[in-house]
Structure formats: C-alpha cells, structure tokens
Amino acid sequence: EVQLVESGGGLVKPGGSLRLSCAASGFTFSSYSMNWVRQAPGKGLEWVSSISSSSSYIYYADSVKGRFTISRDNAKNSLYLQMNSLRAEDTAVYYCARASPPRYCSSTSCPDYWGQGTLVTVSS
Amino acid sequence: DIQMTQSPSSLSASVGDRVTITCRASQGISNYLAWYQQKPGKVPKLLIYAASTLQSGVPSRFSGSGSGTDFTLTISSLQPEDVATYYCQKYNSAPFTFGPGTKVDIK
C-alpha cells in the first residue's frame, strides 16, 4: 500500500524557515517523480514544486521560486521542502504527492497518491 | 504561463442529474489534463488523466473529454457521494497549474 506521511509543519514567524519532510513507503520511491501541492485554508489547490526521480529535473511555482527548495533522498525514501523567507500567504496545508507512472501521465506532476498533509502557519 | 479556468465555480444538482464541468486552458495543452475530486475534509483523488482516461477504481459515471484548450468532466448520474470540489490540472509542462475548482452539491 502506497503511504506518504508528511511532517515538519507548524507555526513560524514571517521571514522564518521551515523544513517539511515526506516519508514514502509501499512503492519504489526512486522510480517516481514527486510533488508538493498546497492548499490555503478554504482555498483551492496550488502546485508548489516537482522533482524527477533522480533529481535531474526540478520545477517551482513562481510564487515560491527563490525561497523554497525541493530535494529528495532516494536511499531514505524521503522528500523534502526547505522553505525560507516565509510569508503570511504561505500559510497552507502542504501535501506530498506522488506523480503518476510515466506510462500514464508522462509528467513529473499529475499526482496519483497524496499524503494527509501538514499545516504550515506563518504568523507573528 | 498558461492559465486554467473552470466553470461554473459552483453548481447544485439533483441526484441522478447529468453534471458537466468545463476547464479551459489559455493555450493549447494537447490532452495533458487531469481531473481531481476533493471531498470535504479529505485529500484530493485523481479521477481522470490524459483528458479522458479513467483512473483505476473510479466509477464509470465519471468521464472526461476534450483536447487543446477546452475540456469537460461529466458525471452522468450525480450521486450523493459525489459532493465535492473538482479541480483540473495541466501537466504538459511547468508550472503544473490547477484550475480554481468547481464545487458540486446536491439540490
């Protein structure tokens, strides 16, 4: 069974930093692209970042470019999101999501499995 | 960047009704379009990819169509468990933008 478990969320002051982690199990992590998607309270889904299976391709939304860094450790079956210079508008539930197999979506996005999310609140 | 829009933003329909949601891309994206369902308080679920291919386990009352810039998600016979917000997402190239969502409830 595919499982994605996020951790690292919490309350942080504007300008602060936070590192999110996602522990993956139930599939060959090193074979899949991974994503971070966020959802502000009461709002829609916002794609944040994607990373290919070997970290060769990395993409960011303009809203986080230069402030957030996605990375992965295939030996540890883990995905990370380093978030710096946090702003109030970064307040959201952050989901770790696995990209669909290439034979289905041919993309580093198009997530088919999602974690339960971790809440990040940026407030003074 | 390509913008994604959805219409309507919300709708209310009766059980058994046919429901159609539209997603439009500001530029052509071929068939690189996915649909997601998010029930209240739950995690999003992939329904359809490649514009019209049903994800495994998704009921056949859901269908998708379209290519280029205009896409539709159809629920052939609305069920109470279909109450949710539905999102489209483009995945041809980054940024992998989601549409703003369409909230569906029962009349």
Side-chain angles (χ1 to χ4, degrees), chain A residues 35 37 39 43-47 50 59-62 95 100 104-112 114-117, chain B residues 1 32 34 36 38 41-46 48-50 55 87 89-100:
Chain A
N35 293 259
V37 177
Q39 187 167 35
K43 303 296 184 183
L45 301 174
E46 181 186 9
W47 170 78
S50 297
Y59 306 101
Y60 297 100
D62 285 347
Y95 295 104
S100 297
Y104 296 152
C105 281
S106 301
S107 171
T108 53
S109 193
C110 184
D112 61 351
W114 300 62
Q116 291 300 309
Chain B
D1 292 345
Y32 290 90
Y36 298 86
Q38 187 177 32
K42 300 296 186 183
V43 168
K45 173 185 175 182
L46 176 64
I48 287 170
Y49 60 92
Q55 174 74 337
Y87 298 91
Q89 185 203 24
K90 63 170 281 292
Y91 59 88
N92 59 315
S93 61
F96 303 115
T97 311
F98 286 91

Side-chain angles (χ1 to χ4, degrees), chain A residues 1-5 23-28 32 34 97-98 112-115:
Chain A
E1 179 194 5
V2 172
Q3 284 200 313
L4 299 167
V5 180
S25 61
F27 65 102
T28 305
Y32 287 83
M34 297 295 295
R98 188 188 84 167
D112 61 351
Y113 283 94
W114 300 62

Side-chain angles (χ1 to χ4, degrees), chain B residues 17-39:
Chain B
D17 281 355
R18 183 181 184 87
V19 168
T20 299
I21 299 168
T22 296
C23 174
R24 181 161 291 166
S26 59
Q27 296 175 41
I29 58 171
S30 184
N31 69 335
Y32 290 90
L33 193 283
W35 288 97
Y36 298 86
Q37 175 194 62
Q38 187 177 32
K39 295 182 179 181

